[in-house]
Amino acid sequence: MQINETARRTYETAMADLRNFMANPWQTEMAPYQVIPHVYYVGNKYVGSYLLDTSEGLVLIDAALQETVYLLFESIRKVGFDPKDIKKVLISHGHVDHTGGLRIVQEYSGCEIWFPKGDAFFLTERRDLILEEEHAPEFEVTGYYNYDDMMDFGNIQIQPVHTPGHTPGCTSFFITVHNNRTTLLGMHGGLGLNGLSKAELLQNGLPASLQEDYLNSLKKLVNVPVDIVIPSHLSHFPGDYLGMIANNTDGSGDALRVPDAWKLLIEDRIAQAEALFKQDELIDEN
Ligand SMILES: [Zn+2]
């Protein structure tokens, strides 16, 4: 019982954080930075957004909260671009901290929105899993990822990979950037374990098999030869990512090229997930 309640508090803490950031968005303000040439962090302290300056125009990955869109736009302007020029937004998963800002971004720029098919139910019959309409207004989905296809933007290619677990449709991005040298950036779409205890899955009417999906999809990704990890939430990185960013003063990305960082990130999450799911087994046995 004790353990079950601990897991529930984790979920509730995550929701409390979210409510707090929606009520006080300025607390999430963070200076944008160039990851490597043509790739910029324009997210906030809480949740990541990445701007890609591609041959086909601006591509944004994740739109954060509706309440923080003004910070997103400011960050995009600070790194030298106009948010009106966003051509496409790619979404990692259906949760509101990645999608809440989409309506404003789409109305302002007229951008396309690409979404994981497996999370489309968040926008229809399970809107209760997202939050109220006032925080997550509807937007128009242009299309769903075809996981067999590389999305080619000329100087940048993005391979979406279906990595279910955190949500059924959770999608990770492997981004190949051709500058003087070619760099592979890796963003896991959803590493959060909040909501993944059996009790929480049951409570939210989601399949218990998401636990197995989470582990299986992580294990498939361990050996992807990622040069630079771009975390979906900066806090998920098992190390001093803010320190690494501070050292990336020239924007070359050299300070972010940590050998095995991707492997460490994924292995760290596998270990955390196995520990959480093990607790569920103990509860089952009782
Ligand atoms: Zn999420």
Side-chain angles (χ1 to χ4, degrees):
M1 271 327 270
Q2 177 71 42
I3 293 162
N4 220 345
E5 278 166 14
T6 306
R8 189 176 305 283
R9 263 205 305 280
T10 306
Y11 179 69
E12 283 176 1
T13 305
M15 290 310 289
D17 280 352
L18 198 60
R19 296 274 181 195
N20 176 57
F21 291 137
M22 289 191 300
N24 308 284
W26 52 88
Q27 289 179 358
T28 71
E29 185 177 2
M30 169 172 174
Y33 59 90
Q34 178 175 302
V35 179
I36 58 171
H38 302 292
V39 179
Y40 306 87
Y41 185 83
V42 291
N44 55 57
K45 279 183 188 159
Y46 172 61
V47 60
S49 293
Y50 292 90
L51 186 72
L52 312 178
D53 172 26
T54 83
S55 318
E56 310 282 320
L58 295 180
V59 174
L60 181 71
I61 296 184
D62 283 349
L65 294 167
Q66 172 176 250
E67 289 77 2
T68 54
V69 165
Y70 77 103
L71 297 173
L72 172 74
F73 283 3
E74 198 170 276
S75 289
I76 292 172
R77 291 186 182 113
K78 277 185 184 161
V79 295
F81 298 94
D82 186 340
K84 270 206 167 69
D85 294 332
I86 296 169
K87 295 286 182 278
K88 287 185 167 68
V89 183
L90 312 187
I91 290 298
S92 62
H93 66 281
H95 285 160
V96 71
D97 49 333
H98 305 264
T99 61
L102 282 174
R103 169 68 166 269
I104 298 176
V105 172
Q106 190 169 50
E107 279 192 4
Y108 192 68
S109 66
C111 65
E112 294 181 1
I113 293 174
W114 290 80
F115 205 79
K117 178 78 175 162
D119 281 1
F121 73 110
F122 279 97
L123 310 176
T124 52
E125 68 261 35
R126 293 304 306 277
R127 279 198 60 89
D128 60 300
L129 290 172
I130 292 196
L131 279 186
E132 305 80 9
E133 174 81 20
E134 61 180 296
H135 298 295
E138 287 182 22
F139 50 86
E140 199 178 308
V141 173
T142 310
Y144 301 108
Y145 303 120
N146 176 352
Y147 296 111
D148 295 328
D149 277 358
M150 178 89 88
M151 304 173 92
D152 190 356
F153 300 102
N155 63 331
I156 294 178
Q157 281 104 34
I158 302 177
Q159 180 64 59
V161 176
H162 186 208
T163 49
H166 180 69
T167 63
C170 183
T171 297
S172 297
F173 302 108
F174 293 96
I175 305 166
T176 306
V177 186
H178 305 280
N179 289 320
N180 292 339
R181 59 174 161 173
T182 298
T183 303
L184 182 63
L185 307 174
M187 181 183 125
H188 193 285
L191 287 169
L193 283 162
N194 49 305
L196 272 185
S197 71
K198 271 196 186 149
E200 289 165 345
L201 288 169
L202 192 69
Q203 183 190 326
N204 285 330
L206 293 168
S209 56
L210 282 175
Q211 287 192 345
E212 212 181 323
D213 293 342
Y214 184 95
L215 280 174
N216 287 342
S217 58
L218 279 181
K219 285 174 181 169
K220 276 183 204 153
L221 297 180
V222 172
N223 291 316
V224 178
V226 167
D227 297 305
I228 295 177
V229 172
I230 53 169
S232 158
H233 288 268
L234 296 182
S235 61
H236 286 167
F237 190 82
D240 181 18
Y241 201 79
L242 292 179
M244 287 159 59
I245 293 166
N247 289 329
N248 188 32
T249 43
D250 62 356
S252 69
D254 284 347
L256 305 175
R257 286 172 200 269
V258 179
D260 288 336
W262 175 262
K263 199 170 187 314
L264 289 173
L265 172 75
I266 301 299
E267 284 177 347
D268 174 67
R269 281 292 150 163
I270 291 173
Q272 288 192 42
E274 282 175 343
L276 175 69
F277 302 161
K278 186 84 187 161
Q279 290 172 354
D280 277 342
E281 281 172 30
L282 293 175
I283 290 164
D284 281 351
E285 282 165 15
N286 288 337

